[in-house]
Amino acid sequence: MAKKGASDGGSEVAAARAEEQARQNRIREGSGKISELFDGQFNDQFYDDRKASFTDYALPQLADQTKSAQKELTFALDRRGALDSSSRASLGTELEKKRALLETEIKGKANDFANTARANVESARSDLTNTLNATGDVEGAVQSAQASSAVLSQTPGYSPLASMFSDFTGALGKQAAAEKAYAYGAGPRPAISTGLFGTPSGAVANLR
């Protein structure tokens, strides 16, 4: 009897080992299929394309808004007869600095989209692997991986860019109002003068 019990116990251990080995084999198979699916789709080119999709969306809007700001600047100077003034070059330089800064911000945001996509992909891969380890269900893991990859591959929706030069164009109006008030003796001298309105009556012009 003792020998029979020992034999039964040995068979159970052997069966458990065989089952565990089979489970580990299924996990390796499932992990390989998940990696094959994800690595084939979510590679460096995918993340470069994710960056490009945002810059291709945003940079044309920046160009359009820059043109609008340039027109507003031209109109503001033209109304004051200062199209050929030194202030035009100065304000034009400020506008270009603003444009360059906004372009840098857009490219930084494009990198953020790519990094977020990468983090989401790795998070999904980890979740799928954990589920596979717990269940050993290769078919279920592959189906879940296919569904996840379909969602992760979708390009996110982008919101139209807000007015990016409102501070610049708003400053044009404020500067003009301040200089106009000073020119007519109705306000203090602005800290910065573009020379659009000359000097107020009775004031001594700085010729240097």
Side-chain angles (χ1 to χ4, degrees):
M1 293 295 291
K3 290 182 179 181
K4 184 176 184 301
S7 176
D8 289 344
S11 297
E12 290 176 359
V13 170
R17 287 176 177 172
E19 176 58 30
E20 177 60 21
Q21 185 60 52
R23 192 180 77 87
Q24 292 298 329
N25 291 339
R26 292 195 300 272
I27 289 173
R28 280 193 291 273
E29 178 187 359
S31 295
K33 290 183 176 181
I34 291 172
S35 294
E36 181 180 359
L37 177 63
F38 272 52
D39 292 343
Q41 185 170 0
F42 304 114
N43 49 29
D44 289 341
Q45 185 61 55
F46 172 82
Y47 299 114
D48 288 343
D49 290 344
R50 182 56 54 90
K51 286 192 292 186
S53 70
F54 182 72
T55 54
D56 290 347
Y57 174 82
L59 288 180
Q61 294 183 59
L62 173 61
D64 289 342
Q65 292 195 29
T66 300
K67 290 179 182 179
S68 295
Q70 288 170 336
K71 287 180 180 179
E72 288 194 43
L73 174 58
T74 298
F75 292 154
L77 294 170
D78 186 39
R79 286 194 297 268
R80 296 158 180 81
L83 282 175
D84 296 325
S85 67
S86 60
S87 61
R88 178 173 187 172
S90 176
L91 291 170
T93 299
E94 290 301 315
L95 178 59
E96 172 55 24
K97 287 181 180 178
K98 176 73 173 176
R99 186 210 62 77
L101 177 61
L102 289 168
E103 181 176 340
T104 299
E105 291 178 356
I106 285 172
K107 291 179 178 179
K109 191 168 184 179
N111 283 327
D112 290 342
F113 275 111
N115 291 336
T116 297
R118 190 184 297 274
N120 289 341
V121 166
E122 293 310 313
S123 177
R125 186 202 298 266
S126 178
D127 290 343
L128 289 165
T129 300
N130 289 338
T131 300
L132 174 63
N133 287 335
T135 64
D137 182 359
V138 176
E139 183 178 353
V142 171
Q143 290 176 350
S144 295
Q146 290 171 337
S148 293
S149 65
V151 173
L152 292 166
S153 63
Q154 294 177 0
T155 301
Y158 303 128
S159 299
L161 301 185
S163 179
M164 295 179 286
F165 292 95
S166 57
D167 56 343
F168 178 84
T169 55
L172 286 177
K174 291 179 181 178
Q175 180 68 24
E179 292 189 41
K180 186 174 182 179
Y182 175 66
Y184 287 96
R189 182 173 184 171
I192 299 174
S193 177
T194 62
L196 299 182
F197 290 95
T199 56
S201 177
V204 177
N206 186 353
L207 301 179
R208 289 182 299 171

